[in-house]
Amino acid sequence: MRKIAIANRKGGVGKTTTAVNVSAGLALAGNKVLLIDTDTQGHCSRLLGVNPEKGLAELIDGTVTPSEALIEAREGLFLLAGSRLLAGISRLIVKTEIHKATKVLSNVLKPFDGKFDYVLLDTSPGFNELSVNVFFYADEILIPVSMEVLAIDGFKDFMREMNELSEYSNIEIRYITPTFVDGRVKKTEDVLEHLQKHFPDKLTPLIHYSTKLSESPAWGKTIYEFAGRERASKDYAKLTGAIT
Ligand SMILES: Nc1ncnc2c1ncn2[C@@H]1O[C@H](COP(=O)(O)OP(=O)(O)OP(=O)(O)O)[C@@H](O)[C@H]1O
Ligand SMILES: [Mg+2]
């Protein structure tokens, strides 16, 4: 069972879009996938067009059992939804004894061990108690990096923080995925070149800028359902293939 966190300190770089569409692609390929939304915004539910009553917050605070907390959003794709209640969970983690505080998530997710082929975790922008817990649970990180010069600065800080963290957890930065790639924008090339030069072994197939990707959430559809023949679908299919 592979456990992959989709993370970047910076907001709006395509974390949720990537978490949802890679999960959907893995499920379409016949895998059993668990998508865990650790963000208070609850966007994974919206992108999948589902409205779960319970999710990760209720699982952590013990009001539901592991099986009650999940919904099957698509065939083979199970969602443990995020919600605003996760803000309270972060406060709860702060109050937990220090040696247990990084393992709260790992402990509640234990019943799912070995039950899925892939667990993908979508994370909030920024750094909080819950994201630290994600980094102690997951084994691999995929970092979406949008093609702006400022995004590269944030990305470097994030890489440094993750390297510091890897002294304490086993997590490894496996993948760096360029997002919002637009050939018409000149700086795109510079940013891509930088990534290619510094991280040739981590760089995945890229995701182009696509209006289809910005429209699909309003319809609650994955990119395969919304625009199966468009480049955006092919981009996500290639990315999914590269990480399997
Ligand atoms: N390749 C793309 N081309 C065009 N629009 C995109 C692309 N990827 C994502 N978007 C849109 O950009 C916005 C931000 O994407 P997304 O929500 O996936 O980012 P995020 O990193 O999860 O944001 P946050 O940090 O707020 O959680 C969304 O409206 C999404 O539909
Ligand atoms: Mg998001």
Side-chain angles (χ1 to χ4, degrees):
M1 184 172 95
R2 289 179 61 191
K3 299 183 280 187
I4 309 172
I6 317 296
N8 189 334
R9 223 175 197 298
K10 192 169 177 350
V13 295
K15 292 184 291 296
T16 304
T17 305
T18 299
V20 166
N21 288 303
V22 169
S23 297
L26 289 168
L28 284 173
N31 294 291
K32 194 172 172 198
V33 182
L34 173 60
L35 172 61
I36 305 179
D37 186 353
T38 67
D39 191 358
T40 52
Q41 300 177 98
H43 280 169
C44 289
S45 304
R46 194 156 67 89
L47 266 70
L48 287 166
V50 292
N51 196 6
E53 281 171 17
K54 301 286 182 318
L56 180 60
E58 290 82 0
L59 178 64
I60 296 178
D61 75 16
T63 45
V64 295
T65 64
S67 58
E68 286 166 351
L70 290 188
I71 64 153
E72 190 169 8
R74 297 291 187 280
E75 193 181 346
L77 171 53
F78 295 79
L79 174 68
L80 192 48
S83 69
R84 271 182 297 169
L85 295 176
L86 287 172
I89 297 295
S90 281
R91 289 195 290 276
L92 188 137
I93 294 174
V94 176
K95 290 193 211 135
T96 309
E97 289 168 69
I98 193 105
H99 66 285
K100 289 187 193 154
T102 54
K103 291 283 183 187
V104 171
L105 187 67
S106 304
N107 285 332
V108 301
L109 295 177
K110 274 218 178 88
F112 300 124
D113 276 359
K115 301 258 164 67
F116 294 89
D117 300 307
Y118 290 88
V119 179
L120 269 76
L121 300 105
D122 185 24
T123 58
S124 317
F127 230 72
N128 60 31
E129 291 71 24
L130 207 50
S131 38
V132 171
N133 265 260
V134 169
F135 302 139
F136 276 83
Y137 169 73
D139 300 315
E140 309 167 48
I141 304 188
L142 181 153
I143 309 180
V145 182
S146 71
M147 294 297 103
E148 307 153 33
V149 175
L150 281 178
I152 275 284
D153 293 342
F155 165 72
K156 286 182 190 157
D157 292 342
F158 183 70
M159 286 292 275
R160 193 168 26 76
E161 285 161 352
M162 293 315 299
N163 280 328
E164 284 166 15
L165 194 76
S166 64
E167 280 183 38
Y168 309 97
S169 96
N170 294 326
I171 197 147
E172 183 199 350
I173 297 167
R174 272 298 285 288
Y175 306 110
I176 295 167
T177 302
T179 54
F180 294 85
V181 173
D182 186 341
R184 295 165 302 182
V185 181
K186 195 171 165 288
K187 66 191 172 194
T188 290
E189 251 169 60
D190 302 340
V191 177
L192 273 178
E193 230 166 71
H194 174 91
L195 293 176
Q196 184 69 57
K197 184 166 160 219
H198 293 279
F199 309 101
D201 54 330
K202 299 188 196 296
L203 208 59
T204 68
L206 50 82
I207 307 296
H208 291 93
Y209 178 87
S210 151
T211 52
K212 295 290 178 204
L213 283 168
S214 57
E215 287 164 14
S216 58
W219 299 88
K221 290 184 173 172
T222 71
I223 196 61
Y224 303 110
E225 296 158 350
F226 185 67
R229 291 163 177 276
E230 306 271 340
R231 182 163 74 172
S233 280
K234 293 180 182 134
D235 284 354
Y236 269 109
K238 267 190 220 154
L239 172 61
T240 305
I243 70 175
T244 45

